[in-house]
Amino acid sequence: MTSILERRARLLGPQMTTFYKDPVHVVRGQGVWLWDADGRQYLDCYNNVPHVGHCHPKVVAAIAHQAGQLNTHTRYVHEGIVEYGEALTAKFTHGLGSLLMTCSGSEANDVALRMAQAMTGKTGLICTDNTYHGNTAAVSQLNSSKVPIGGYQDHVRQVAAPDNMQPVGGTNEGQAAAFAAGVRKAITELQDNGHGVSALIICPYFANEGFPTLDAGFLDEAITAVRAAGGIIIADEVQPGFGRIGSHWWGHDRLGFAPDIVTLGKPMANGHPVAAVVTRPDVLACFQDAFKYFNTFGGNPVSAAAAHATLRVIEDEGLVDNARDVGTYAVNLLRDLATQYDVVADVRGAGLFFGVELWRDGEPATKLCADMIEEMRQRGVLIHSVGRHDNTLKVRPPCVFSRANVDQLVNVMDEAFQACI
């Protein structure tokens, strides 16, 4: 392991991210399982990229079959992107019937920002203060983890993100109104400095913010304010999309609002680099009039085949229903476990995206959370953390996760608590 870590650091940079103090050197995956170079098996409770399970045979077969026939860019006519696009957009309402395919969520969000500029003629952007939407120069202006070189540009305003333990405005009951007040303040500032408002971009599950418990309608007042200012709404569905939350295919439907643009990524093709922007035909036409855009690899035949196979597996194997059933079972077991440990401040989630927030002595228990993650890794269960203080154990497994897998997760978490507290 030392040799490959040294080579990796030399080639990819010493700060290239690796999970865990003792990084896992994975060599094989199947379903919800990963194996390392020493043959040790791990329960993958974190990886949302293999949405239908690591190395699903139908997705593997679709990639191999199409790669053996043809792969080229989308300036040639090919049925794959059209057939997939029709199947995907059939999962949307609100007139979202057109799409543009890219290779990553970062690219998708970058395009979405330009679509908003084209539609509104404005450049001002509103996001939350604890978010992540990608890595391009434009999109990195929205991220909260590192301040861009030179500081945030004047066309971006961040508003306080909702939170279960430290709600905006001081109470959970008043949080929606307080969030909307923050949005209205951002609108005023953007109008006063001449940028105006092009878009509010939001993850409808507030995934990186710590996935707080929010009722349908939470965003209504904020969205009304944005639309009144001439802006549009971008829903970043990279994490909650494709049925992960169990109750709905898309997070925006769970919160009950109609976005103008939806961005997709990570789970879209089960690990193949595929992402997309889904929008109304008028928005796409306006973007194409305003910008010359072409993506060499976005929507290529192999990517389209991988994505279409993933979509079929979600449907054929009933994975949205599975996410709802197994996720509910998991949250209930974790709430039972929480009664044994005072450090558990909250258990929450939807579908197969849930977690446990830790506090100790009135403060976010960031170190305990980190210790728990390392302890569970040593016991063969892979999870990670999320939230403003990185004090929430984040569980977001492949959507083929079962009740038996939940039992193992909860048992190991119990053992880890006993070891770490």
Side-chain angles (χ1 to χ4, degrees):
M1 174 67 83
T2 301
S3 175
I4 194 170
L5 289 176
E6 291 173 347
R7 291 161 57 200
R8 189 178 193 269
R10 184 173 64 252
L11 289 166
L12 304 180
Q15 295 191 49
M16 181 67 176
T17 301
T18 54
F19 288 150
Y20 313 111
K21 293 177 182 176
D22 180 14
V24 182
H25 179 185
V26 292
V27 296
R28 184 165 66 92
Q30 187 67 50
V32 298
W33 303 104
L34 290 170
W35 286 265
D36 68 15
D38 296 322
R40 185 176 182 189
Q41 185 174 351
Y42 298 85
L43 179 64
D44 185 355
C45 300
Y46 182 75
N47 202 337
N48 70 323
V49 175
H51 192 76
V52 301
H54 291 277
C55 300
H56 194 288
K58 290 185 178 179
V59 180
V60 172
I63 292 171
H65 176 75
Q66 186 58 56
Q69 284 193 331
L70 172 71
N71 200 29
T72 186
H73 56 71
T74 50
R75 283 180 173 168
Y76 296 108
V77 177
H78 188 266
E79 293 88 347
I81 189 172
V82 176
E83 291 174 355
Y84 173 64
E86 289 173 343
L88 177 64
T89 55
K91 298 295 183 186
F92 288 89
T93 52
H94 313 303
L96 300 170
S98 296
L99 89 163
L100 182 155
M101 291 183 70
T102 66
C103 303
S104 72
S106 295
E107 290 179 349
N109 282 324
D110 191 283
V111 167
L113 299 186
R114 283 185 272 174
M115 285 183 173
Q117 291 175 6
M119 284 294 290
T120 65
K122 307 295 184 181
T123 57
L125 296 169
I126 303 172
C127 60
T128 81
D129 65 347
N130 192 37
T131 191
Y132 173 79
H133 292 289
N135 291 308
T136 70
V139 176
S140 65
Q141 284 289 321
L142 308 172
N143 299 340
S144 56
S145 58
K146 281 193 175 183
V147 177
I149 301 298
Y152 291 106
Q153 295 179 9
D154 202 36
H155 71 291
V156 175
R157 288 294 181 276
Q158 297 180 336
V159 299
D163 188 281
N164 272 24
M165 301 301 297
Q166 298 174 309
V168 181
T171 68
N172 283 302
E173 295 77 14
Q175 187 163 213
F179 181 81
V183 170
R184 286 193 295 270
K185 180 176 184 290
I187 290 170
T188 298
E189 291 176 357
L190 290 170
Q191 289 174 332
D192 288 347
N193 69 16
H195 289 289
V197 180
S198 66
L200 168 67
I201 180 169
I202 211 87
C203 167
Y205 193 57
F206 293 90
N208 283 90
E209 294 87 340
F211 52 94
T213 305
L214 306 175
D215 294 329
F218 176 85
L219 286 173
D220 288 359
E221 189 178 345
I223 287 173
T224 296
V226 171
R227 294 201 190 283
I232 66 175
I233 308 301
I234 302 170
D236 182 341
E237 294 275 2
V238 168
Q239 293 198 67
F242 293 93
R244 171 166 293 281
I245 55 176
S247 60
H248 299 79
W249 266 78
W250 312 110
H252 63 267
D253 286 330
R254 180 172 181 264
L255 273 192
F257 70 91
D260 302 282
I261 302 169
V262 173
T263 56
L264 308 171
K266 296 183 194 300
M268 193 171 174
N270 216 49
H272 199 74
V274 180
V277 185
V278 178
T279 188
R280 298 191 310 270
D282 62 306
V283 177
L284 181 58
C286 185
F287 167 74
Q288 291 174 332
D289 286 342
F291 293 93
K292 183 177 177 61
Y293 180 84
F294 172 67
N295 189 311
T296 299
F297 298 112
N300 69 78
V302 173
S303 292
H308 206 163
T310 302
L311 191 69
R312 290 190 183 104
V313 171
I314 297 170
E315 295 172 329
D316 293 347
E317 297 187 7
L319 294 187
V320 182
D321 289 340
N322 184 68
R324 179 173 59 251
D325 173 71
V326 176
T328 300
Y329 178 74
V331 168
N332 287 338
L333 278 191
L334 288 170
R335 284 177 176 159
D336 289 341
L337 180 66
T339 62
Q340 303 176 40
Y341 300 103
D342 292 341
V343 293
V344 177
D346 193 27
V347 175
R348 60 182 178 270
L352 286 172
F353 200 143
F354 53 89
V356 177
E357 185 162 356
L358 306 180
W359 283 62
R360 176 178 266 171
D361 300 326
E363 299 290 337
T366 302
K367 182 181 183 303
L368 174 60
C369 188
D371 291 344
M372 286 286 294
I373 291 164
E374 296 294 338
E375 184 67 27
M376 292 182 71
R377 174 256 185 269
Q378 294 299 329
R379 295 172 184 269
V381 172
L382 305 179
I383 63 170
H384 214 264
S385 62
V386 75
R388 189 183 301 278
H389 307 290
D390 279 322
N391 65 315
T392 298
L393 299 171
K394 178 181 180 182
V395 184
R396 190 192 55 184
C399 284
V400 292
F401 213 65
S402 70
R403 287 188 173 210
N405 300 143
V406 170
D407 292 340
Q408 180 180 349
L409 164 69
V410 175
N411 288 337
V412 170
M413 189 175 292
D414 188 11
E415 294 171 357
F417 273 126
Q418 294 177 46
C420 292
I421 292 178

